[in-house]
């Protein structure tokens, strides 16, 4: 009788410390639903080489992990990690990769050479880009994300309707206007300095994960850094596998993710397609007695507040409008899904107003 090789369980919701090509080789094939990769940029910056006009050093990406001897070395590395990811992707899985002009074209051609099928490229237009300190070229105000399926085979996940619903019923476009990761979201060390030079904003990860995966899916990030992918995946009810070769980053990621509360199942319900779910206006929540006029709504992090008015609009200072319009206004965004953005306090906990809408919908179901 031949020996049976035991199948190792997937290291779900773990941060694996080490080189991603090696770690990926130890994972079972066809096991992940989505990959998000933020690989080294190969910026070719020497330590302290970027200065402001006052000669102070810019906190740029001059770390050892971003150094490659040549384009050939970078290309070989790119092909190796892409191939390793492709092996662990399920046949209908897709992959996001983000980069700048320094690397994204090289990554794009490697993707095509290896059999991936490019579905979209997304321009992440930065609301607050770093200025061009040397003043000799255009300011780099965007990064590019490539979204690719494992092969030309169809059957990948894409939540077209949900994205459209969150975008005021307009098709979600391939240019995303989002700020850099700053403020409370940015991890800082005891010395007040950034823990990582290229921590990505959670909003960016949320769009990539929401658009191309389902609750319960496994999201893999081979260049985990501070674990933005894991934090967002956990919040959105997905499982994650992170790989990071620097122990300090891996540790910061674990602590960050441990503090994340997953959203409620109701908030994560597959977003309603227009035809599938009955429309419930916000006013219905007032009429059903689930929210009283005069209640204060707040976002998940309690950064913004809005007052519920008796006609089902909400107000912030002199501005008033729908939950979506005011949600977008306070964030400075073109659109917002007010149902998931706004929360109410119930027994000391914040509950998304979408949970209250789900109760009305459940009542509609039982009445039908
Ligand atoms: C661009 S950063 C990713 C930042 C991350 N998206 C975040 O939001 O914090 C790339 C990360 O990949 C790690 N890295 C570079 N080469 C690696 C390798 N061969 N295996 C695993 N991790 C690697 C670096 O240490 C760095 O933290």
């Amino acid at each position: 009788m031949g020996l049976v090789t035991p199948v190792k369980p997937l290291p779900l919701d773990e941060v694996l410390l080490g080189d991603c090509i090696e770690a990926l080789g130890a994972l079972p094939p066809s096991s992940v639903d989505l990959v998000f990769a933020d690989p080294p940029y190969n910026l070719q910056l020497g330590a302290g080489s970027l200065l402001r006009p006052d000669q102070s050093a810019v906190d740029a990406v001059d770390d050892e992990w971003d150094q490659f001897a040549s384009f050939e070395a970078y290309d070989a590395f790119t092909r190796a990690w892409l191939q390793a990811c492709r092996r662990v992707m399920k046949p209908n899985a897709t992959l996001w990769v983000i980069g700048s002009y320094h690397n994204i074209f090289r990554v794009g051609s490697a993707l095509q050479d290896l059999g991936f099928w490019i579905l979209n490229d997304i321009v992440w237009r930065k609301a607050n880009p770093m200025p061009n300190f040397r003043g000799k070229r255009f300011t780099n105000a965007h990064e590019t994300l490539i979204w690719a399926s494992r092969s030309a085979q169809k059957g990948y996940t894409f939540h077209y309707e949900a994205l459209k619903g969150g975008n005021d019923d307009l098709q979600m476009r391939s240019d995303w206007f989002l700020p850099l990761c700053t403020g409370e979201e940015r991890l800082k060390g005891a010395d007040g300095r950034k823990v990582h030079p290229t921590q990505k904003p959670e909003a960016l990860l949320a769009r990539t994960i929401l658009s191309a995966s389902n609750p319960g899916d496994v999201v893999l990030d081979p260049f985990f850094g501070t674990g933005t992918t894991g934090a967002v995946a956990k919040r959105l009810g997905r499982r994650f596998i992170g790989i990071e070769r620097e122990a300090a980053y891996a540790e910061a990621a674990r602590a960050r993710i441990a503090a994340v509360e997953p959203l409620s199942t109701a908030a994560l319900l597959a977003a309603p397609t227009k035809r599938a779910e009955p429309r419930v206006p916000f006013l219905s929540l007032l009429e059903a007695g689930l929210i009283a006029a005069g209640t204060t709504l707040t976002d998940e992090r309690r950064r913004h507040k809005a007052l519920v008015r008796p006609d089902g609009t909400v107000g912030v200072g002199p501005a008033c409008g729908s939950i979506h319009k005011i949600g977008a206004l306070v964030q400075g965004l073109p659109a917002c899904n007010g149902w998931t953005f706004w929360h109410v306090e119930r027994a000391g906990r914040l509950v998304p107003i979408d949970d209250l809408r789900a109760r009305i919908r459940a009542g509609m179901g039982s009445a039908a």
Side-chain angles (χ1 to χ4, degrees), residues 180-249:
L180 295 171
C181 175
T182 53
E184 278 175 35
E185 193 181 311
R186 188 90 205 198
L187 299 195
K188 304 259 172 62
D191 56 1
R193 293 171 64 113
K194 295 174 195 166
V195 166
H196 195 288
T198 68
Q199 182 181 335
K200 294 295 174 294
E202 292 193 3
L204 182 77
L205 265 297
R207 268 199 207 180
T208 61
I209 291 176
L210 283 169
S211 59
S213 71
N214 295 300
D217 277 0
V218 178
V219 184
L220 166 83
D221 184 336
F223 302 102
F224 208 49
T226 57
T228 312
T229 305
V232 176
K234 182 176 173 189
R235 182 157 54 83
L236 298 177
R238 275 71 170 168
R239 316 298 301 267
F240 70 87
I241 301 172
I243 309 170
E244 170 55 51
R245 71 173 205 190
E246 306 286 334
Y249 296 155

Side-chain angles (χ1 to χ4, degrees), residues 90-355:
K90 292 181 183 169
N92 66 342
T94 59
L95 170 142
W96 289 97
V97 55
I98 183 168
S100 61
Y101 71 84
H102 307 84
N103 66 333
I104 200 68
F105 303 107
R106 311 192 82 83
V107 173
S109 69
L111 275 169
Q112 290 181 322
D113 290 348
L114 294 173
F116 286 90
W117 189 258
I118 296 183
L119 298 167
N120 275 117
D121 69 321
I122 300 287
V123 172
W124 166 30
R125 196 177 148 221
K126 300 178 180 177
N128 47 351
M130 202 198 291
N132 182 328
F133 291 109
R134 291 190 180 131
K136 298 249 159 67
R137 299 193 212 164
F138 297 104
T139 301
N140 290 318
H142 76 278
E143 287 188 36
T144 302
L145 293 102
I146 298 177
W147 182 44
S149 51
R150 192 181 175 284
S151 68
Q153 186 184 319
K154 300 266 187 299
Y156 52 85
T157 300
F158 180 57
H159 293 294
Y160 171 82
E161 289 283 358
L163 289 162
K164 192 172 167 188
N167 192 37
D168 270 359
D169 287 331
L170 296 172
Q171 287 187 349
M172 181 65 86
R173 294 161 43 127
S174 61
D175 49 346
W176 300 355
F177 185 63
L178 295 168
L180 295 171
C181 175
T182 53
E184 278 175 35
E185 193 181 311
R186 188 90 205 198
L187 299 195
K188 304 259 172 62
D191 56 1
R193 293 171 64 113
K194 295 174 195 166
V195 166
H196 195 288
T198 68
Q199 182 181 335
K200 294 295 174 294
E202 292 193 3
L204 182 77
L205 265 297
R207 268 199 207 180
T208 61
I209 291 176
L210 283 169
S211 59
S213 71
N214 295 300
D217 277 0
V218 178
V219 184
L220 166 83
D221 184 336
F223 302 102
F224 208 49
T226 57
T228 312
T229 305
V232 176
K234 182 176 173 189
R235 182 157 54 83
L236 298 177
R238 275 71 170 168
R239 316 298 301 267
F240 70 87
I241 301 172
I243 309 170
E244 170 55 51
R245 71 173 205 190
E246 306 286 334
Y249 296 155
E251 208 35 61
R254 288 191 189 106
R256 174 185 187 184
I257 296 166
V260 171
E261 270 299 311
L263 286 171
S264 67
T265 316
L268 291 172
L269 277 180
T273 61
K274 265 195 183 155
R275 257 161 275 132
E277 296 263 38
R279 201 178 90 80
V280 176
F282 180 63
L283 180 60
S284 299
L285 270 56
L286 276 75
E287 291 165 348
L290 292 172
I291 286 192
T295 302
T296 299
L297 302 183
T298 178
D299 64 300
E300 202 188 0
R301 291 169 180 251
R302 299 180 193 271
R303 287 183 188 161
H304 307 289
K305 287 187 170 35
L307 193 67
V308 177
R309 298 153 53 100
D311 57 4
T313 59
V314 296
V316 172
C320 91
S322 72
I323 47 170
H324 313 295
K325 189 172 160 195
I326 298 300
L329 180 82
V330 296
Q331 297 177 87
L333 294 176
C336 160
N337 181 349
W339 289 109
T340 49
F341 179 69
W342 294 114
H343 294 59
V344 275
E345 187 136 353
R346 291 283 183 269
R349 292 194 55 198
L350 284 184
V351 176
I353 57 171
D354 212 18
D355 284 13

Side-chain angles (χ1 to χ4, degrees), residues 42-53:
N42 194 22
L43 290 186
Q44 300 163 302
L45 286 177
S49 63
L50 198 53
L51 299 176
R52 294 192 180 84

Side-chain angles (χ1 to χ4, degrees), residues 18-26 76-82 84 222-223 243:
D19 174 69
C20 64
I21 298 163
E22 226 170 90
L24 284 165
F77 168 72
T78 301
R79 280 164 203 276
W81 73 256
L82 280 174
F223 302 102
I243 309 170

